[in-house]
Amino acid sequence: MARSKPETPPEAPDVDYVVDLFKALADPIRLRIMGLLVEEERCGQELAETLNLAPGTVTHHLQMLRRIGLLTEERRPPYTYVKLDYARLRGAILP
């Protein structure tokens, strides 16, 4: 009896995206930022103070997380607040 090839679920996440996602989350600073954003949205200045990092360093890491689509932002002058895009995160991990 011939075995059939397992089917890939139609909504399976893109493997290249999942690899980029895990590469981004492999950085300890980005992982700490994600942990803080699970609690509530925050501005970059607040993240820098909480993590005891330079604002430029936080901005760099936020750009990396934005690039893979894990963050959404809302401009409320004079700050820009970032929060997790839970739907995108779930879609990347779960089929």
Side-chain angles (χ1 to χ4, degrees), residues 37-40 70 83-91:
L37 293 175
V38 166
E39 297 170 0
E40 64 182 334
L70 291 182
K83 62 182 177 180
L84 289 179
D85 185 340
Y86 288 104
R88 180 74 185 236
L89 184 58
R90 269 192 304 277

Side-chain angles (χ1 to χ4, degrees), residues 9-45:
E11 296 180 23
D14 176 49
V15 174
D16 292 332
Y17 174 75
V18 174
V19 169
D20 289 341
L21 170 72
F22 282 102
K23 282 181 182 178
L25 295 178
D27 184 279
I29 293 173
R30 287 192 285 272
L31 202 51
R32 289 170 56 201
I33 289 171
M34 293 288 289
L36 290 170
L37 293 175
V38 166
E39 297 170 0
E40 64 182 334
E41 68 180 13
R42 297 174 191 255
C43 68
Q45 190 68 28

